[in-house]
């Protein structure tokens, strides 16, 4: 079964507006690009569409009252709290800097979103911090775990986890002594994605009912930049198109990537140093929340590593 990733309605309308202003693209190419950025509708046309109010109620219905309250707070104020309990913490992804307190002879279990697949794990101090990847659940509800354990007290480092959906940056602290506490289980919740799913479902229901969707800010085609060069070997995941809106970069990946391992994205400095960058996977696109002059998509290690370079042209 192919995993489906929800796409924000604003992005779909934005891409539609953008393509209309690109004279170089043919009508067939414009239709293909818009179709790739949009998510197909759910259900058949014979069923009565749910109302936006019922979608919102179902979205906020949760057996975890703290999580429900956290999402309500994010929706109202834009602030997502860290949910804590004894030996357990849940961080809002992208809204705070996760810092884990661990302890020698104990493990910290970092649990990711169900269906998310870990590509690689990197720890700053590999001599005094041990990491390993685990999985739980059935094939249709597989959950990825990254287990972290320090070998000494009172040491610190950082951890980077790359997945097929996100890049996680975490700080790691080892307890100062035997009596120090630690987090046995660390999880994440995704308030921005949750609100995006609700808004997309609500807008889709309004469209099916014939309601007018709220107007979205227009984007001038003159602000879009398609000047990117893609170079490198003939990898199955070589991007088919790259463009930016002056703030974000959109990298369109080929359909063949769904059947292959996804590459990690690095931004390259003038000294050709590679640094991981936060990005999201949306409807076949890598969406990077910053501009770059040069980036590298890489898969594998050593001589077998495949690399594709993306360069922004003047």
């Amino acid at each position: 079964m192919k995993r489906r990733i929800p796409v924000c309605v604003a992005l779909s309308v934005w891409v539609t507006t953008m393509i209309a202003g690109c004279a170089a693209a043919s009508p067939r190419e414009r239709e293909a690009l818009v179709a790739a950025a949009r998510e197909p509708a759910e259900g058949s046309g014979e069923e009565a569409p749910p109302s936006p109010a019922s979608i919102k109620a179902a979205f906020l219905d949760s057996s975890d009252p703290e999580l429900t309250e956290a999402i309500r707070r994010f929706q109202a104020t834009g602030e997502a709290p860290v949910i804590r309990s004894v030996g357990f913490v849940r961080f809002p992804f992208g809204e705070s800097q996760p810092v884990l307190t661990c302890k020698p002879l104990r493990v910290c279990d970092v649990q990711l979103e169900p269906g998310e697949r870990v590509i690689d794990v990197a720890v700053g101090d590999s001599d005094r911090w041990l990491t390993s990847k685990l999985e739980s659940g059935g094939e249709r509800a597989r959950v990825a775990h990254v287990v972290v354990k320090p070998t000494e007290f009172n040491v610190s480092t950082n951890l980077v986890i790359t997945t097929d959906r996100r890049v996680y940056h975490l700080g790691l602290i080892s307890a100062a002594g035997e009596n120090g506490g630690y987090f046995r289980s660390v999880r994440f919740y995704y308030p921005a994605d949750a609100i995006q799913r609700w808004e997309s479902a609500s807008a889709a229901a309004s469209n099916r009912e014939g309601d007018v969707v709220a107007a979205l800010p227009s984007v001038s085609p003159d602000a879009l930049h398609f000047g990117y060069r893609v170079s490198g070997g003939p990898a199955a995941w070589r991007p088919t198109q790259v463009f930016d809106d002056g703030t974000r970069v959109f990298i369109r990946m080929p359909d063949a990537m769904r059947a292959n391992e996804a590459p990690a994205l690095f931004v390259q400095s003038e000294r050709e140093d590679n640094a991981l960058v936060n990005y999201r996977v949306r409807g076949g696109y890598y969406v990077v929340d910053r501009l770059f002059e040069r980036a590298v998509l890489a898969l594998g290690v050593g001589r077998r590593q495949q690399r594709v370079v993306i360069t922004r042209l003047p």
Side-chain angles (χ1 to χ4, degrees):
M1 175 183 295
K2 293 184 179 180
R3 188 185 69 254
R4 299 170 57 96
I5 303 175
V7 180
C8 177
V9 171
L11 176 60
S12 298
V13 176
W14 180 88
V15 173
T16 305
T17 306
M18 175 273 296
I19 296 301
C22 181
S26 67
R28 179 174 298 178
E29 290 172 339
R30 292 199 296 267
E31 293 175 2
L33 186 59
V34 172
R38 287 178 173 170
E39 181 176 18
E42 291 284 343
S44 65
E46 298 178 357
E47 299 178 359
S51 67
S54 65
I55 293 174
K56 183 175 182 179
F59 164 70
L60 293 175
D61 182 22
S62 173
S63 58
D64 187 338
E66 287 186 302
L67 181 57
T68 300
E69 180 57 32
I71 295 176
R72 288 182 184 273
R73 176 176 169 181
F74 178 78
Q75 190 176 24
T77 67
E79 298 179 358
V82 177
I83 302 173
R84 300 178 185 271
S85 60
V86 179
F88 170 87
V89 62
R90 189 191 296 265
F91 291 104
F93 178 82
E95 305 300 327
S96 66
Q97 175 60 56
V99 178
L100 282 59
T101 301
C102 302
K103 188 175 181 179
L105 303 181
R106 301 290 187 273
V107 295
C108 288
D109 175 21
V110 182
Q111 179 175 324
L112 307 182
E113 186 179 34
E116 193 167 14
R117 183 169 55 85
V118 175
I119 297 175
D120 210 346
V121 177
V123 64
D125 184 354
S126 58
D127 292 331
R128 295 181 292 183
W129 290 82
L130 306 177
T131 62
S132 60
K133 296 184 289 185
L134 302 175
E135 291 185 339
S136 64
E139 292 185 1
R140 296 187 178 182
R142 190 66 53 87
V143 178
H145 302 254
V146 176
V147 174
V148 184
K149 182 176 69 173
T151 59
E152 298 180 17
F153 289 102
N154 201 26
V155 293
S156 63
T157 187
N158 69 312
L159 177 72
V160 177
I161 304 172
T162 61
T163 76
D164 57 349
R165 299 179 186 177
R166 307 174 180 89
V167 178
Y168 295 80
H169 294 268
L170 303 93
L172 301 178
I173 298 176
S174 178
E178 291 283 355
N179 297 326
Y182 72 101
F183 295 132
R184 291 189 298 272
S185 177
V186 176
R187 299 181 184 180
F188 291 86
Y189 70 100
Y190 308 87
D193 290 353
I195 297 299
Q196 201 172 85
R197 284 195 296 269
W198 168 68
E199 290 178 346
S200 296
S202 179
S206 296
N207 283 336
R208 289 195 296 268
E209 292 172 344
D211 296 338
V212 177
V213 179
L216 297 172
S218 60
V219 177
S220 172
D222 296 335
L224 301 173
H225 182 80
F226 288 83
Y228 285 85
R229 181 176 65 245
V230 179
S231 59
W237 38 263
R238 182 188 175 103
T240 59
Q241 189 174 41
V242 183
F243 58 91
D244 71 69
D245 64 352
T247 303
R248 296 176 299 273
V249 179
F250 299 86
I251 304 173
R252 184 184 179 189
M253 307 300 287
D255 293 338
M257 191 189 74
R258 303 191 182 196
N260 295 275
E261 189 173 358
L265 179 67
F266 302 88
V267 169
Q268 197 170 77
S269 67
E270 293 181 358
R271 296 180 299 178
E272 296 188 356
D273 295 328
N274 291 336
L276 281 168
V277 63
N278 287 326
Y279 61 89
R280 304 183 303 279
V281 180
R282 291 288 182 271
Y285 288 81
Y286 278 21
V287 182
V288 187
D289 291 323
R290 54 162 288 189
L291 300 181
F292 56 75
E293 296 300 322
R294 184 182 174 93
V296 176
L297 287 164
L299 180 63
V301 295
R303 295 181 178 179
R304 296 184 178 181
Q305 185 182 69
Q306 293 179 295
R307 292 165 59 90
V308 170
V309 178
I310 302 173
T311 305
R312 190 177 196 270
L313 304 176

